[in-house]
Amino acid sequence: GAVVSQHPSWVICKSGTSVKIECRSLDFQATTMFWYRQFPKQSLMLMATSNEGSKATYEQGVEKDKFLINHASLTLSTLTVTSAHPEDSSFYICSASRAGDQDEQFFGPGTRLTVL
Amino acid sequence: ILNVEQSPQSLHVQEGDSTNFTCSFPSSNFYALHWYRWETAKSPEALFVMTLNGDEKKKGRISATLNTKEGYSYLYIKGSQPEDSATYLCACTTSGTYKYIFGTGTRLKVLA
């Protein structure tokens, strides 16, 4: 149990376009979902936390208008990178936690974004 | 800012060798320490969640210890196998928040 999927696993896009990444909890209801990114040789850095039906809470330095997060259901959260630029190229990974157990996070396999 | 550090960054061991790596974290306001095993192109897999000082947990050939007073955790692998090859991540949470602060990971390669 506690499986999280992400789609797509990799994407290449042109500068200026928008890219949407989906994160789904397959066998549990995820009241909270988290979005991280990882640049080469760095650690996973939390970008934002989203609770189902609420606006996401963004970490300091993360532009909420650039990284749009939607958590409209208990099994799906999406991250849209708007007007992507080469410096947004990174590895994006989501995680989800269950109701009543927010301290345990289950991770998706991640999405490699390359912006040309 | 909470800083979690892992060492070494990477290591190669021979099949059958035992190995260990370290996760260091600030001890103030500590709540929990998480260890994950992350294979390429897969989801990080939770190994252990540890909260109590002196805690020791075991899962097959893998075990972990926790020292919250001095701010470190060790992960041990006994009799390494090629299938143990992965990146091992630790993450720390502090009191009052569910946010994970990750280390950069230790990349283990077990040579057959």
Side-chain angles (χ1 to χ4, degrees):
Chain A
V3 179
V4 176
S5 70
Q6 246 180 277
H7 179 79
S9 53
W10 59 270
V11 57
I12 301 173
C13 69
K14 290 184 179 179
S15 188
T17 60
S18 294
V19 173
K20 181 186 281 188
I21 302 170
E22 291 187 350
C23 177
R24 292 181 187 272
S25 57
L26 299 184
D27 53 3
F28 67 101
Q29 293 189 326
T31 50
T32 305
M33 286 186 166
F34 304 84
W35 287 95
Y36 296 82
R37 64 182 167 185
Q38 184 182 37
F39 293 108
K41 297 194 186 297
Q42 295 187 23
S43 60
L44 292 173
M45 295 293 290
L46 181 65
M47 297 174 67
T49 303
S50 73
N51 291 297
E52 185 262 339
S54 304
K55 286 186 180 180
T57 302
Y58 291 80
E59 294 301 299
Q60 195 171 8
V62 178
E63 300 172 55
K64 62 179 171 63
D65 294 329
K66 182 167 184 62
F67 298 99
L68 301 179
I69 291 172
N70 183 283
H71 189 169
S73 80
L74 284 170
T75 59
L76 173 65
S77 176
T78 60
L79 168 68
T80 302
V81 183
T82 62
S83 187
H85 287 96
E87 57 265 30
D88 298 322
S89 298
S90 187
F91 185 78
Y92 293 85
I93 189 168
C94 71
S95 68
S97 60
R98 293 183 280 219
D101 192 12
Q102 284 184 292
D103 191 48
E104 188 170 14
Q105 296 182 25
F106 302 95
F107 284 83
T111 297
R112 171 73 59 193
L113 170 63
T114 302
V115 185
L116 303 176
Chain B
I1 295 177
L2 199 63
N3 214 26
V4 177
E5 296 182 356
Q6 289 187 249
S7 63
Q9 273 193 334
S10 66
L11 75 161
H12 290 65
V13 301
Q14 289 294 133
E15 182 176 359
D17 287 351
S18 294
T19 187
N20 65 85
F21 10 100
T22 307
C23 173
S24 302
F25 52 88
S27 53
S28 60
N29 298 318
F30 171 85
Y31 181 74
L33 193 284
H34 301 255
W35 280 102
Y36 286 85
R37 180 174 175 277
W38 194 8
E39 290 182 73
T40 304
K42 295 186 177 180
S43 301
E45 172 198 353
L47 289 174
F48 305 112
V49 180
M50 307 175 81
T51 56
L52 300 175
N53 184 46
D55 216 359
E56 184 169 344
K57 294 204 172 182
K58 192 174 179 183
K59 191 175 185 178
R61 293 179 292 99
I62 305 177
S63 61
T65 60
L66 179 67
N67 183 323
T68 60
K69 293 189 188 309
E70 295 181 43
Y72 64 84
S73 174
Y74 292 139
L75 189 80
Y76 299 90
I77 301 179
K78 189 177 177 183
S80 303
Q81 299 297 308
E83 56 265 31
D84 295 329
S85 298
T87 295
Y88 291 82
L89 296 175
C90 71
C92 183
T93 55
T94 53
S95 301
T97 176
Y98 299 113
K99 297 179 186 179
Y100 282 18
I101 307 297
F102 278 93
T104 50
T106 292
R107 185 177 294 179
L108 173 67
K109 177 77 174 174
V110 182
L111 306 169

